[in-house]
Amino acid sequence: MQYQQTPAVASGLPASSLGSPESGVGPRLLYWFAAAAIALAGLLIGFTLDLFRTQSLAASLRLTESFAHVVSDDIAGAVQNIDQSLQLGQGAIADLKRSGQLNQAAVGRMLSSQVKKLPLVRAMWVMDKTGRIEFESTAGYIGLDLADRDYFQIYAAEPKTEFFMGQPLRGKATGIWFLSASRPLYDADGNFTGAIVAAIEPRHMEETWKSVELGDGGSIALFRRDGTLMARSPFEEAAIGKKFIRGPIFSELLLKSSAGRLQAPSGVDGKVRSFAYRTLNAYPALVVVVGQSVDLVLTPWRKLAVLAIAIWAVASAAVVTFCIFLDRAWQLQARGKAEALLMFNRLSLATDAASIGVWEWEIDKEDKWFATPTYFTAMGYAVNEGLADRDQWATRLHPDDKDAVMAKIHAVLAGGNVVYEYEARLMHADGAYRWVKVAGRVLARDSAGKPTRLIGVRIDITDIKESEELMRKSEAKYKALFDEAPDGMNIVDRNGNFVDVNPSMCSMLGRPRDELLTMNAADIVIASEVAHIKPTILSITHYSSHHQEWRLTHKDGSIVDTDVIAIEMPDGNLLGMVRDVTNRKLVEAALLESEERYRLLVDQSPYSIAIHQDGKLRLFNRASLNLFGAVSPSELVDKEVLSLVHPNSREEAQNRIRRMLAGESSLYPAEYLFLKLDGTTFDGEVSAVPFTFQGRPAIQVIALDISKRKKAEVALLDHQKRLKAVSRRVLEVQEAERRRVAVELHDELGQALTAIKINLHSRDLLLEPARGQSHAALNRENLRIVEDALQQVRRLALTLRPAVLDDLGLAPALRWLIDQSIEHNGFAARFDSQLPPGRLLPEVETAFFRIAQAGLTNVVRHAQARQVSLTLVQDGATLVMTLQDDGVGFVASLMWARAKAGGSIGVLGMEERASLIGAHFSVEAAPGLGTTLRLSCTLQPKEHSA
């Protein structure tokens, strides 16, 4: 047999069949090329169109996001103006109530003035605590019960709510949709007295939003965070007030980010839009959603797509026509041999194999042989190297396999039904031998039945052979480990019958292997434990492992104590590892004696020492009896340890016990509140360590009574809490004052400056005087506005800090304070000062003035007094101030308890101011007998007197 080296060998094909028109490959390649070109052009056009579409949608999303930002800022400003008006209304109502002028005429004027300033607001009203309209900016609705409205009920459900926008409603009389914005009203004691409400017309928002150029199909909507549609442009009456909480913005995106964008169908009208949403910065409960129609965005893209597809279709038709013409020309020249075509089909299939060498042997035609490139490259040889003859091929067979392979080949060539298949080792190009499997099939025979044509494959099975060898070695290692293990090992089936045992197991039980393989686990376990075998096997099959002590019987009748670990094997049998622990049991018995000595030592300790196991007290000393108030040990034996812990500390204690038993360290010492047997409590400090008691996990505890130390700590914490409460109140007062100053500046100075600006602008731009006024008249008007603004600034500065305190001192400042109180509140007041000439330290003057100011504020709010007196006396180095009224009074002890609980921060603030300058502050009061505030301070020398 000769192995010919030709170009056809390298490719696996006869040379005459490659790429000729007769073979049919040329036309097919042409069609494939044409189809590939058309498909590639289509893919490129599709990719380009998809890219343009993606870019168009992305640009739309970015534009929509910009619109959302602008619209959200506009809405936030409008909502903020409405909120500020509600806050101003709150303040105005409180002022009218204090001055006794709270009536419909005064409140109505105030509300009407606020409505005129706000173009979005249609009306405003005030509701009492029952939900009925008490005051309004318009006429005809006083007494109307609106208690069922959500903007009123929210303050009962969530008392901490301040600004709130309610569900959109349609007016019963006008039929007009409106939104409600509300704020609560409270009296001086912080009790809820009603709400002030503004009615907003969504139609005004729609008119404003129409100016935003979103194109046809665009939309702008305002939602609450719960998905409620508040307003929309274009206006959709059927959707106003409905909830769209299942939409992706509210169900997914808002949970991750306060602003974002997406493309989705609208929940209102079903149109697909590019949406952008943003929550209002100052009002996160409100969400603006802006949408741009995807159809509108994609209109230019669709025109481009139609043009591109038309061009592609025309070009594709031209290419197909050209291919048909060439195919017909090739068909006229088609010549080929059926054998070449058959060979091509066979070897094409062979070249698709990734790592399988395919060969064909033609015995009756000059003994030729062909093979695919993989046949050579899989063994490390070059394709063009080939094989010279059969003898050279035979030299690459492993010597131990050569005779068997040659015999198999000769048997196949001799005829008969011998299968052409063998496994052998073949030399690789690197000199190593690799296992191969060869399988062939006879394609043709001569008249004598001998093969004339064979085809087959050769597969590299070296990895399979190596895996089989590793498996064999692994089984040998397992067998050695099983047989040589020092502990007993056995394999049983699910019924407890022994399948295999090792020598150590046989030695442990004094029985030969053959005898044990005829026995069941029940035959070697003591009688009292036989009933546990089946449940244990069932438990292993469910939980895959088992660890327990078992008592087995030796052949001589003695008992063998063992520790058994069992697991389930992949084949369903159970593998058990058995260790003889008889000697360990003897050691444990010796430990019992040691534990008794330990008990004596614990009993004599002055500290409470106890051991608890399984949640119950097992051991404790005499000091523990005294600590928990027990008379006899029987009162504590087996008592639940958590029952001695106060309910407030039980969860923490139980968690620490669980973690300690699990092996976690660094958990103690810890402090808990404990219960004595009589129900009284005490604070205790506990140190604990894991402990083995009677062979099982337990915890040893050392406890100390730290009640006295805790009382000292509580007193310190109480002082710190009071200080924090005062600090928090100071911050609240500062913020309120800042808000008031901001409103004053905006409403008064802002309007004055705007008027001046308009007048100056009119004078500069117009040749004729504006509104028929001369330039001199405009100047006079500007001077008047400036003078009013200066007066407003002086009034504001005086409110923040009276200049008289800095310029003249404490006594004139207190006299001014009394005069202001008389002027604005109408009660009789008297001030008496006996101070020597000179000034006090600034911090002393400020503290005395602010405490007097706070005290007079409380008199105005709560005392209902007719006579008030304020005295200031300096006796030597002691300065004493007394503020007394004849009002309703109160119980002083209850007042102090309420203040310490955070219910009255004012008195804590006065006390804290006094402590900062080292002064003593006291309050004396009784119901019906008025109230006396007294402040005394020892004055320090002042380096530079005024």
Side-chain angles (χ1 to χ4, degrees), residues 125-135 141-148 152 193-195 197:
W125 61 86
V126 177
M127 306 168 66
D128 61 19
K129 64 181 179 180
T130 66
R132 296 183 180 276
I133 295 180
E134 188 175 8
F135 307 107
Y141 297 99
I142 292 180
L144 182 63
D145 187 0
L146 302 178
D148 60 338
F152 180 81
T193 61
V197 187

Side-chain angles (χ1 to χ4, degrees), residues 556-864:
D556 62 8
S558 60
I559 303 299
V560 181
D561 290 303
T562 63
D563 187 38
V564 178
I565 298 176
I567 60 173
E568 185 179 13
M569 300 176 67
D571 61 2
N573 290 331
L574 310 180
L575 172 64
M577 289 157 279
V578 185
R579 175 166 294 181
D580 189 341
V581 295
T582 305
N583 291 334
R584 191 192 74 189
K585 289 292 185 179
L586 295 175
V587 174
E588 290 176 353
L591 286 176
L592 291 176
E593 183 180 354
S594 175
E595 288 181 1
E596 186 63 29
R597 291 196 297 270
Y598 164 78
R599 184 188 297 273
L600 293 175
L601 178 63
V602 169
D603 249 356
Q604 301 305 316
S605 173
Y607 299 104
S608 171
I609 301 176
I611 297 174
H612 63 83
Q613 185 181 66
D614 299 330
K616 295 183 178 181
L617 286 176
R618 302 301 189 191
L619 183 66
F620 46 85
N621 61 356
R622 295 177 182 175
S624 299
L625 298 178
N626 297 331
L627 184 66
F628 291 102
V631 178
S632 65
S634 61
E635 297 180 73
L636 292 181
V637 170
D638 289 337
K639 189 170 185 63
E640 294 285 344
V641 66
L642 291 178
S643 68
L644 299 175
V645 180
H646 193 275
N648 294 343
S649 301
R650 281 177 189 167
E651 183 176 356
E652 181 184 358
Q654 188 174 17
N655 182 44
R656 284 178 175 265
I657 291 171
R658 182 167 52 252
R659 290 164 60 190
M660 178 166 286
L661 290 175
E664 190 171 346
S665 58
S666 302
L667 294 175
Y668 287 94
E671 296 180 3
Y672 301 121
L673 186 62
F674 289 95
L675 292 173
K676 292 191 176 185
L677 296 182
D678 61 2
T680 58
T681 63
F682 69 92
D683 291 296
E685 183 180 78
V686 176
S687 297
V689 292
F691 193 75
T692 300
F693 182 69
Q694 295 180 351
R696 297 177 57 240
I699 294 178
Q700 177 178 277
V701 179
I702 300 176
L704 301 174
D705 188 341
I706 58 170
S707 299
K708 294 182 179 179
R709 189 185 78 189
K710 293 296 289 184
K711 289 181 180 178
E713 293 175 353
V714 169
L716 178 60
L717 289 175
D718 180 62
H719 178 71
Q720 291 176 344
K721 289 180 180 178
R722 292 165 60 188
L723 182 60
K724 289 180 180 178
V726 172
S727 300
R728 183 168 59 252
R729 180 56 180 169
V730 168
L731 292 176
E732 292 174 355
V733 171
Q734 287 177 345
E735 290 302 322
E737 189 64 18
R738 288 170 181 166
R739 188 185 302 111
R740 187 184 66 81
V741 171
V743 173
E744 292 282 351
L745 290 174
H746 177 272
D747 290 352
E748 301 295 340
L749 296 182
Q751 293 180 5
L753 293 175
T754 301
I756 294 172
K757 178 181 177 182
I758 293 172
N759 289 341
L760 293 175
H761 187 67
S762 299
R763 188 185 68 175
D764 292 342
L765 296 182
L766 300 177
L767 295 178
E768 294 298 327
R771 301 187 303 277
Q773 293 180 335
S774 66
H775 288 173
L778 286 175
N779 288 336
R780 286 193 299 273
E781 183 179 354
N782 289 339
L783 290 175
R784 181 189 62 76
I785 295 172
V786 170
E787 180 62 27
D788 291 343
L790 289 174
Q791 292 298 328
Q792 182 65 22
V793 170
R794 293 192 187 99
R795 184 180 64 79
L796 185 61
L798 192 62
T799 303
L800 293 176
R801 181 176 176 90
V804 67
L805 179 62
D806 295 324
D807 297 339
L808 301 179
L810 179 60
L814 291 178
R815 186 177 300 281
W816 173 84
L817 184 62
I818 284 292
D819 292 341
Q820 290 291 312
S821 299
I822 295 173
E823 179 181 349
H824 292 95
N825 298 286
F827 52 68
R830 179 176 59 85
F831 174 68
D832 184 16
S833 173
Q834 299 179 18
L835 287 184
R839 294 291 296 271
L840 303 173
L841 291 173
E843 59 267 26
V844 173
E845 290 185 342
T846 300
F848 270 69
F849 178 81
R850 291 304 185 191
I851 291 173
Q853 188 179 42
L856 284 171
T857 299
N858 285 339
V859 171
V860 172
R861 289 181 176 177
H862 310 296
Q864 303 177 21

Side-chain angles (χ1 to χ4, degrees), residues 433-436 459-468:
Y433 284 97
R434 296 187 67 83
W435 279 96
V436 296
I459 307 172
D460 188 334
I461 60 170
T462 305
D463 292 340
I464 298 175
K465 287 291 187 179
E466 290 178 352
S467 298
E468 291 175 351

